[in-house]
Amino acid sequence: MGNTAVVVGGGIGGLAAALGLRLVGWEVTVLERAPAFAEVGAGISLHANGVRALEALGVGEAIRAAARPLYTGGNRTSDGRWLARMDGAALERRLGTPVVGILRADLHRVLREALPAEAVKTGVEVTDVGDAGDADLIVVADGVHSRLRAELFPGHPGPVHSGSTVLRAITEHPFPGLCSDLELTWGPGAEFGHILFADGRAEWHAVLTSPPGVRHPDPLAAMRRRFHGWHDTVPALLDATRPEDVLHHDIHELVTPLPSFTVGDRIAVLGDAAHAMTPNLGQGASQALEDAAVLAACIAAEPTIPSALRRYDAERRPRTRSVARAARQAGRMGHRLTHPLAVALRDTALRLAPSEATLRAVLRHADWTPPRLR
């Protein structure tokens, strides 16, 4: 089997794939089209499966140092009533870790620093597979709007707008007034959530039912108008935000699954390029990290690259398809729900659900055992 790989895309999934392949003895080069890695982006929550994947990739200790354990939270209505509570301590007892919150820039930094500086090349644009050279393995990790996926699967319709858009930001300073670590609030056609980080700051996000391309001259003012009258945490987070820090992105997903996560004898597709999903379960980054760990394990275990790719596809495609489907359904039952009767039925069902049922819903996707890489 060969031992040189090129990873196209220097995001979380691409860097994790490079790290995994290096752990099993491969020479890896990451090609990133951006001229430099800027400290931008908001934050993410990682469930146990994402944390376990990072541990398998050898950066678990660094991630735990940078992340904040999230023990309290749950779902609320726009007037502040609780629908369901999250028990982070129970998750920790069952899975070894609660959900953790981490700045995206910190996660990216930890992965970058675990790689040799010369292994990551910025300012390199790969527009077709030929640009990746003659490596033994090519890993396509260039995101939801992947150019290479379009080349490799010319009959696939590609990503579609999910019907939602997201605005998010991180508070300018530490925000000590929150009553919970991780929270989602639902109202008709909208969701507002927050995550606390290790430095005391908080990220908020607003997911809105919206056609694509809608933008606001002053996004922060638009959010104040949209969420006027919601419980006190919402305006307080908006007031703690600088207008220039608000990010706005339409949410796209691969509704039509790819027919394979591999092409030919040397190409694997990974992360959002393979299975972009809505963020409603908070599983997008964790699934990319799982991909990276499994790909490296398959490469290490199988006698040939083609057999390793077949195994990777067989393990990852059913799993990610199930998670993506569940994320889409969670959105339909969350911020996409607008009919008053449907909202009332959902809220009643959540209030009456026993805590064990809430825990099982999280365990369904978070209870994942990574392969051994070392």
Side-chain angles (χ1 to χ4, degrees):
M1 184 185 290
N3 62 358
T4 62
V6 168
V7 178
V8 181
I12 290 170
L15 293 177
L19 187 54
L21 290 169
R22 281 186 55 82
L23 282 176
V24 298
W26 279 53
E27 297 178 14
V28 187
T29 301
V30 178
L31 304 180
E32 167 56 43
R33 66 178 179 179
F37 293 114
E39 295 294 312
V40 296
I44 58 177
S45 58
L46 291 173
H47 286 268
N49 55 314
V51 176
R52 287 174 173 177
L54 289 162
E55 290 171 342
L57 294 168
V59 293
E61 184 175 343
I63 290 298
R64 290 182 185 277
R68 177 180 184 134
L70 306 176
Y71 286 106
T72 61
N75 296 86
R76 301 171 80 178
T77 62
S78 59
D79 61 5
R81 291 172 296 156
W82 286 99
L83 297 172
R85 299 271 191 168
M86 179 185 77
D87 187 344
L91 285 173
E92 188 171 37
R93 288 192 297 271
R94 296 284 285 270
L95 300 173
T97 177
V99 183
V100 301
I102 187 168
L103 293 164
R104 185 175 289 272
D106 283 348
L107 174 55
H108 199 269
R109 172 184 53 78
V110 167
L111 293 171
R112 282 201 319 272
E113 290 178 353
L115 293 167
E118 65 272 15
V120 182
K121 302 184 183 300
T122 57
V124 180
E125 189 160 8
V126 179
T127 59
D128 60 60
V129 173
D131 293 341
D134 60 355
D136 300 302
L137 175 68
I138 297 172
V139 180
V140 175
D142 54 346
V144 58
H145 298 292
S146 168
R147 293 184 180 182
L148 296 191
R149 182 188 59 231
E151 175 192 353
L152 296 170
F153 300 95
H156 189 272
V160 299
H161 186 249
S162 67
S164 300
T165 193
V166 60
L167 294 92
R168 56 167 66 93
I170 298 173
T171 58
E172 183 178 6
H173 302 295
F175 196 90
L178 294 172
C179 65
S180 59
D181 300 330
L182 175 67
E183 192 174 294
L184 291 179
T185 299
W186 286 328
E191 168 188 296
F192 193 97
H194 73 253
I195 306 169
L196 273 178
F197 300 121
D199 64 3
R201 291 184 297 164
E203 183 220 45
W204 60 262
H205 73 264
V207 181
L208 309 174
T209 300
S210 169
V214 175
R215 294 295 182 268
H216 308 283
D218 185 340
L220 189 58
M223 293 304 94
R224 288 194 176 103
R225 292 191 297 270
R226 179 63 180 82
F227 293 100
H228 176 74
W230 286 41
H231 63 82
D232 292 346
T233 299
V234 176
L237 284 165
L238 295 175
D239 288 344
T241 303
R242 298 186 304 178
E244 61 267 28
D245 290 339
V246 179
L247 306 174
H248 188 177
H249 298 98
D250 292 328
I251 300 172
H252 291 80
E253 59 173 328
L254 288 183
V255 174
T256 303
L258 287 183
S260 175
F261 285 1
T262 66
V263 177
D265 292 339
R266 66 174 188 137
I267 299 174
V269 190
L270 178 150
D272 281 351
H275 47 69
M277 61 189 68
T278 65
N280 302 94
L281 292 179
Q283 277 286 340
S286 291
Q287 291 304 306
L289 294 168
E290 286 187 22
D291 289 347
V294 170
L295 177 62
C298 292
I299 289 291
E302 291 293 323
T304 67
I305 295 174
S307 62
L309 294 182
R310 286 193 296 271
R311 179 171 167 180
Y312 166 72
D313 180 61
E315 289 192 25
R316 294 306 301 156
R317 198 150 44 95
R319 161 93 168 148
T320 56
R321 185 172 183 177
S322 173
V323 175
R325 188 186 306 116
R328 191 177 306 120
Q329 182 62 24
R332 290 172 182 157
M333 296 302 294
H335 76 280
R336 299 292 298 275
L337 210 59
T338 58
H339 193 283
L341 179 58
V343 170
L345 289 172
R346 177 202 63 198
D347 291 356
T348 299
L350 284 173
R351 287 194 188 99
L352 295 177
S355 58
E356 181 63 24
T358 303
L359 184 62
R360 284 199 304 271
V362 176
L363 293 174
R364 177 185 171 196
H365 305 297
D367 191 6
W368 173 81
T369 301
R372 293 182 61 87
L373 297 182
R374 296 185 294 180

